[in-house]
Amino acid sequence: MPAYLRVVAVLKSWSEHRALRAARRSADEQLLTSRLPSPRLAWRVAELTGSEHRVELGRALTDVVHSADERLLPNAKPLNRGAVRVCRAQLLELAACLFDAERPVTPRGVLLVEHLLRDGALYGPGNLRAQLADIQDEL
């Protein structure tokens, strides 16, 4: 295969990846604003509530709890270690809920967990306990 065709193939896959990310963002916004997901968004609901994604989020939550341990030195993440230590039980309960494949979860709740892990009260000032209570209510 000529080099220019390989470049075109890479660019095509990159643009497809960007289009998928944009579609996910749009679907996520719609899922967060509405209580009843549209049948049009069934593909995103399946992605969010799938067992693989749930296990990934559960592991991320347990990693956050482990990183906040007072016996360990802080790492590169700007983690609000004090708030995480205070809410350790709630975070582990949330992780257990995600790990339990028998228990159904809502896509909105999963999106709130993603938001918490990405830029929520784990990393700065904010009421982590209230945010966790909201997530528990949604899941």
Side-chain angles (χ1 to χ4, degrees), residues 45-106:
V45 170
E47 273 186 354
L48 290 169
T49 59
S51 60
E52 187 175 305
H53 187 65
R54 289 173 64 169
V55 167
E56 183 181 314
L57 290 176
R59 283 187 182 141
L61 285 170
T62 55
D63 288 347
V64 164
V65 171
H66 178 71
S67 296
D69 191 350
E70 60 271 352
R71 294 173 292 173
L72 300 174
L73 291 173
N75 57 14
K77 290 185 207 172
L79 191 63
N80 185 349
R81 292 167 58 120
V84 171
R85 285 186 205 127
V86 168
C87 296
R88 181 179 189 273
Q90 290 91 347
L91 286 164
L92 292 176
E93 182 180 331
L94 186 59
C97 174
L98 290 167
F99 282 130
D100 186 6
E102 299 296 318
R103 182 177 175 180
V105 294
T106 64

Side-chain angles (χ1 to χ4, degrees), residues 96-138:
C97 174
L98 290 167
F99 282 130
D100 186 6
E102 299 296 318
R103 182 177 175 180
V105 294
T106 64
R108 189 171 194 280
V110 174
L111 284 171
L112 290 174
V113 172
E114 284 183 355
H115 175 70
L116 174 73
L117 288 167
R118 187 176 47 247
D119 49 23
L122 292 174
Y123 303 104
N127 192 348
L128 181 59
R129 188 178 304 268
Q131 198 170 5
L132 289 172
D134 291 342
I135 293 171
Q136 281 288 1
D137 290 344
E138 280 299 323

Side-chain angles (χ1 to χ4, degrees), residues 30-43:
Q30 291 177 22
L31 287 170
L32 281 172
T33 57
S34 115
R35 295 280 179 193
L36 297 172
S38 163
R40 223 182 52 187
L41 301 175
W43 64 274

